[in-house]
Amino acid sequence: MKRLETDELWTAVDCYIADHLVGDDAALTAALEASEAAGLPPINVAPNQGKLLMLLAQMIGARRILEIGTLAGYSAIWLARGLISGGHLITLEVDARSAEVARTNLARAGLGGSVEVRVGRALDTLPGLTAAAPFDLIFIDADKPSTPAYSEWAIKLSRPGSLIVVDNVVREGAILDADSDDPHVQGIRRFYELAGTDPRVSGTALQTTGAKGHDGIAILRVTSTA
Ligand code: SAH
Ligand code: DHB
Ligand code: MG
């Protein structure tokens, strides 16, 4: 077999994985098409990552899930499919137009009744979630400079045993640059410092390569909320 260039190879392997383990899905395909048609950026999680989110939710029997960063609702569809029957997902999005696309996508996927899209800056809408807490699973995937603040909120809105998943924690290795003046990089670096020293969580991170390049996800387990 011809040796593919790295990016091409990663994408081809992602396709192979998706073909065998994820499969075709009309609702997800329609969601991505609607996202593109609305001019939203293609920065949704990859299909194999989306399925990982669903499986994690199923593994812990998630009844309440919180997502920060909805975009067109692609990851929200996966997360909501992982809910136990009668469960509920709240997803936070700053952009009203994205939220509208997401609502349509979720309704088309048959998930309109179990998902609520709340519009506003997450730092403004998170304080209103105390009554809906504790969440069993929280997926953080919004503006990266705020990731440390979102992690703090995620722990506050958790119970012992909750999972916190954070996207984009590698960014092609840019996170290694301690002197970076990129606020995205500094946000993620601060997240690692907090996650590595906060006695309330125990976590790890995995590098990912694939259709979305070289990046990574962190997974934290909340051990105590006190
Ligand atoms: N989770 C989605 C992708 C999210 S992209 C998926 O995988 O399908 C990041 C999203 O975070 C964008 O839609 C962006 O508008 C939103 N966002 C950015 N800043 C935000 C903020 N301060 N509060 C809430 N959402 C924000
Ligand atoms: C990008 C990717 C993401 O998964 C995200 O949440 C934000 C931005 C990107 O590739 O630019
Ligand atoms: Mg992301």
Side-chain angles (χ1 to χ4, degrees):
M1 189 182 116
K2 176 180 161 292
R3 178 86 168 77
L4 298 170
E5 294 300 321
T6 306
D7 273 18
E8 243 186 318
L9 177 63
W10 292 345
T11 302
V13 173
D14 252 15
C15 288
Y16 180 88
I17 293 170
D19 280 352
H20 285 80
L21 303 180
V22 187
D24 275 333
D25 186 306
L28 290 168
T29 304
L32 292 181
E33 283 170 4
S35 183
E36 190 182 0
L40 301 181
I43 56 174
N44 50 273
V45 295
N48 51 350
Q49 295 169 340
K51 188 161 181 186
L52 174 65
L53 294 174
M54 181 189 79
L55 290 166
L56 288 171
Q58 290 171 334
M59 285 172 197
I60 61 167
R63 177 184 300 279
R64 299 168 183 200
I65 302 180
L66 171 63
E67 176 180 66
I68 308 176
T70 314
L71 192 65
Y74 182 81
S75 52
I77 292 175
W78 280 113
L79 286 166
R81 286 178 177 174
L83 285 165
I84 64 165
S85 170
H88 193 69
L89 163 70
I90 296 176
T91 179
L92 310 180
E93 173 55 53
V94 71
D95 178 50
R97 213 169 51 89
S98 299
E100 211 36 60
V101 175
R103 287 190 188 104
T104 305
N105 284 337
L106 286 155
R108 193 193 289 109
L111 297 164
S114 51
V115 183
E116 187 188 338
V117 185
R118 293 200 186 178
V119 179
R121 289 176 63 241
L123 288 176
D124 296 331
T125 52
L126 281 162
L129 292 177
T130 315
F135 294 93
D136 306 303
L137 171 58
I138 297 131
F139 179 47
I140 300 175
D141 190 20
D143 50 316
K144 311 311 167 189
S146 299
T147 296
Y150 295 153
S151 310
E152 184 61 38
W153 269 110
I155 297 168
K156 270 200 196 100
L157 297 170
S158 287
R159 52 152 177 95
S162 292
L163 292 188
I164 300 172
V165 180
V166 184
D167 196 24
N168 310 116
V169 299
V170 174
R171 304 321 305 261
E172 299 181 312
I175 52 147
L176 297 178
D177 182 6
D179 301 324
S180 170
D181 51 17
D182 181 342
H184 298 77
V185 170
Q186 289 303 343
I188 298 297
R189 287 180 60 87
R190 183 83 192 115
F191 159 75
Y192 276 97
E193 278 162 33
L194 294 173
T197 53
D198 193 318
R200 298 170 299 175
V201 296
S202 167
T204 189
L206 295 172
Q207 300 186 61
T208 54
T209 56
K212 298 193 68 196
H214 176 210
D215 211 325
I217 55 167
I219 303 182
L220 311 180
R221 180 173 182 275
V222 177
T223 50
S224 82
T225 45

